[in-house]
Amino acid sequence: MALTLLLPLIILGGCPRPRPGAGVKGTADKRTHIINFDVGQSDAMLVIHGGRSLLYDAGATVSKLGRQNFRDLPRRMRELLGHTNLDYFVVSHYHQDHIGMHGTGTRAGMGDLGLWGLINDEGVNIDTLVDRGFFVIGEKGNTQKHYEKAVRDWIKSGKVRQRIRVKARDMLDMGPGLKVEVIAANGNGRLLDMYRRSPGFFKTYPPSENDYSVVLEFTRGAFELVIGGDLSGFDVLAFAYTDIIDPAAYFRSEEHTSELQSLQRISYAVFC
């Protein structure tokens, strides 16, 4: 079971507490705004710092209850930023509850959900789309296959300017005062090492897509937030990340918890 710590509503340094449902103006200031969205049994977290923006995941549940919750994101982006352009969208891993799905086949009636819905329906543009690459041991899942095709179309249409594949130690530029570091992706090579040592075992028991998750560490002064997709499944995770994650850091592994993280639709943490 993945470790889950709920994102608290923390206000530090005398920052005014945002009123639920109210716009937070002045997001080009020196504050760091963390907004965790309730998208049902899925995940989406927006970070704004110095006018720059990063959205980590935008999942969608297939159940009718909460299926369209992800559409709150562009509305709140307009209130917070004045537009729906993201500097970064970070894909933790290729599961529907983290990036949504393309409405096709038996699910055509649901329409585009999550990342697909944001780009295709809601007019969200992304400067840099960040993911772990397309490496996988075993068969690719349908969500990954649809994502790989969609990325090419989005870049060709100009809705996404560029896509980058990240690895541990890479940095994402959110401006002075907020350090954003990739501290894990694709098991930091451990999954591939184990496969090379025991290919027969991995062919029978391939890793979960969760194990490939892109993990980010946000650092602002003494505050640290580590967000890790769904770090669950293979025991390799127990030792793949222990040498790079500070045990004192605030750790949040999502594992389908956004619906529990706030009694309201949106929760805030603002750091001055």
Side-chain angles (χ1 to χ4, degrees), residues 62-192:
V62 296
S63 65
K64 290 185 179 180
L65 181 63
R67 182 186 298 169
Q68 302 296 328
N69 284 11
F70 74 92
R71 299 190 190 277
D72 283 343
L73 276 71
R75 176 180 62 82
R76 296 299 291 150
M77 287 171 61
R78 292 186 188 96
E79 294 177 354
L80 296 166
L81 296 166
H83 55 74
T84 57
N85 303 319
L86 289 167
D87 292 292
Y88 294 101
F89 185 100
V90 180
V91 175
S92 66
H93 61 293
Y94 306 125
H95 274 163
Q96 162 258 315
D97 57 326
H98 288 264
I99 62 171
M101 68 177 193
H102 176 45
T104 186
T106 59
R107 294 182 174 181
M110 296 184 184
D112 286 341
L113 303 178
L115 178 58
W116 280 263
L118 292 179
I119 295 177
N120 296 340
D121 299 340
E122 300 294 337
V124 172
N125 294 306
I126 299 171
D127 183 79
T128 303
L129 185 60
V130 180
D131 60 49
R132 64 171 185 80
F134 302 145
F135 164 76
V136 67
I137 297 172
E139 297 292 328
K140 293 181 179 180
N142 286 334
T143 301
Q144 179 175 346
K145 292 177 183 177
H146 291 155
Y147 172 79
E148 291 183 22
K149 181 182 183 302
V151 168
R152 295 191 295 269
D153 295 338
W154 292 333
I155 292 177
K156 184 177 180 179
S157 68
K159 296 176 180 178
V160 173
R161 187 180 70 84
Q162 66 174 346
R163 167 192 164 263
I164 62 173
R165 176 179 62 83
V166 291
K167 61 184 183 306
R169 309 300 184 190
D170 286 347
M171 309 294 294
L172 302 181
D173 183 12
M174 286 289 284
L178 182 64
K179 176 183 175 184
V180 184
E181 181 177 1
V182 179
I183 60 173
N186 290 326
N188 289 354
R190 295 297 181 92
L191 294 172
L192 184 58

